[in-house]
Amino acid sequence: VESAEERVSIVPQMFFSPRFDLTQPAMFNELQALLEDVTESNDEPDIHTTHANPPPPPQRQSATPTNTTVNATNNSTAESEHLNRQAQNLTVLRNSQTAHAQQETLTSYLDLIEMSLLEQVRQKSELYFRETARFQELKGLVATSVEEVSGLKEQLVTIREENVDVEEVPRMDGV
């Protein structure tokens, strides 16, 4: 069984820095570079990108030589546009997958840190509640002692008044 410390050890140290503030451009850029490194190292072949480009559509043959030149130029332009659209779609797909992978990485870091915090709270809560109960007990003992001292002072006053002439006994300060 992994301890919370071991699980959190995979989270980059920058997240634990007291200076960690994503509103600072330098920190944001550092995080972005870190995420790019992490997602590049975790990349697996994608079924959408491992297949070769589909073959271009078949070209129609024209009966006249002038139409052949025009059709070839049109087909070449259409094929080029088709390939450009495919490349743009592939780029959008890769960017989306990269953003998703980065989001998953950040989410996993957050989950690990939350689990670690919960474990630490669980470990410390028993001690906290034990010490809170002990503090309440001590508070009760102090209150009882204060009451006893007040009672003893009253008894001393009563004893002095009843048994001894006050003028003959020196008084102590605060009594």
Side-chain angles (χ1 to χ4, degrees), residues 148-163:
E148 288 178 6
V149 168
S150 294
L152 290 173
K153 283 183 177 180
E154 289 175 10
Q155 286 177 358
L156 279 174
V157 168
T158 304
I159 290 173
R160 279 190 195 147
E161 290 173 356
E162 293 176 0
N163 296 329

Side-chain angles (χ1 to χ4, degrees), residues 24-92:
Q24 296 176 359
M27 183 66 67
F28 185 82
N29 291 338
E30 186 179 339
L31 175 63
Q32 193 68 23
L34 174 77
L35 289 174
E36 286 172 4
D37 291 344
V38 169
T39 54
E40 285 174 6
S41 67
N42 291 339
D43 278 348
E44 296 177 9
D46 185 356
I47 60 170
H48 300 290
T49 59
T50 55
H51 296 293
N53 288 334
Q59 295 182 2
R60 294 184 295 178
Q61 296 294 327
S62 175
T64 61
T66 53
N67 284 345
T68 304
T69 307
V70 170
N71 285 341
T73 303
N74 287 343
N75 284 340
S76 175
T77 304
E79 183 179 322
S80 176
E81 289 174 3
H82 177 70
L83 290 175
N84 283 341
R85 280 193 302 272
Q86 279 185 332
Q88 288 172 347
N89 290 341
L90 185 60
T91 301
V92 168

Side-chain angles (χ1 to χ4, degrees), residues 5 10 15 22 26-27 35 40 50 57 61 64 66 90 96 107 117 124 129 132 164 169 175:
E5 257 183 45
I10 68 167
F15 290 99
L22 289 178
M27 183 66 67
L35 289 174
E40 285 174 6
T50 55
Q61 296 294 327
T64 61
T66 53
L90 185 60
S96 172
T107 301
L117 286 172
K124 302 292 182 187
F129 289 121
T132 301
V164 182
V169 178
V175 178

